[in-house]
Amino acid sequence: GTCSAQRQVTVQPGPMIRTEGSHITIWCNVTGYKEGVEQDFEWSMYFYTAPDREIRIVSTSQHNYAYALYAQRVNSKEIYIERLSGDSVLLHITKLQATDQGMYECYTPNTDSRYLGSYSARTNLT
């Protein structure tokens, strides 16, 4: 019989340790989805002090995705997504701030007729 691959999202492993003012890129890709469909990506972060509170940063499909904390930096292109292919992106933060420290999550909305596999992955930045 036939079998379909399970969706799998992967991100750059952490911990990533960087200094304030530096430029960081974090990769994310997805496999195991219906072929021929360009994937969308959403990046969020979680402060270590509030690990259950999602803070939306940037999205490939939603222009006003960012919460107020990040909206100005996204609008000025200090934070942006670079698409490498239909299923792979880089998150760029061009001028890291101390407040950027936390857990970063890459999420890919489902494009298949059913849910099977993982839709997000996380990495940490210090």
Side-chain angles (χ1 to χ4, degrees), residues 81-105:
I81 293 177
E82 176 187 0
R83 185 178 286 281
L84 301 176
S85 66
D87 55 16
S88 185
V89 297
L90 292 174
L91 171 67
H92 288 265
I93 304 175
T94 62
K95 297 175 189 169
L96 275 176
Q97 299 177 5
T99 54
D100 293 329
Q101 181 171 244
M103 186 67 65
Y104 283 75
E105 179 177 61

Side-chain angles (χ1 to χ4, degrees), residues 32-118:
Y33 61 91
K34 186 176 179 181
E35 299 248 352
V37 179
E38 184 173 79
Q39 301 298 292
D40 283 314
F41 294 84
E42 298 173 353
W43 283 94
S44 299
M45 69 93 63
Y46 301 81
F47 291 117
Y48 294 129
T49 56
D52 295 328
R53 184 172 166 234
E54 177 187 25
I55 300 171
R56 293 180 173 190
I57 302 173
V58 66
S59 168
T60 58
S61 64
Q62 299 179 46
H63 177 69
N64 293 320
Y65 182 80
Y67 284 1
L69 181 64
Y70 284 101
Q72 183 177 359
R73 293 171 71 195
V74 169
N75 290 337
S76 70
K77 304 293 187 210
E78 184 180 321
I79 299 174
Y80 63 95
I81 293 177
E82 176 187 0
R83 185 178 286 281
L84 301 176
S85 66
D87 55 16
S88 185
V89 297
L90 292 174
L91 171 67
H92 288 265
I93 304 175
T94 62
K95 297 175 189 169
L96 275 176
Q97 299 177 5
T99 54
D100 293 329
Q101 181 171 244
M103 186 67 65
Y104 283 75
E105 179 177 61
C106 177
Y107 171 77
T108 61
N110 188 26
T111 55
D112 298 320
S113 59
R114 62 187 181 138
Y115 285 89
L116 187 61
S118 73

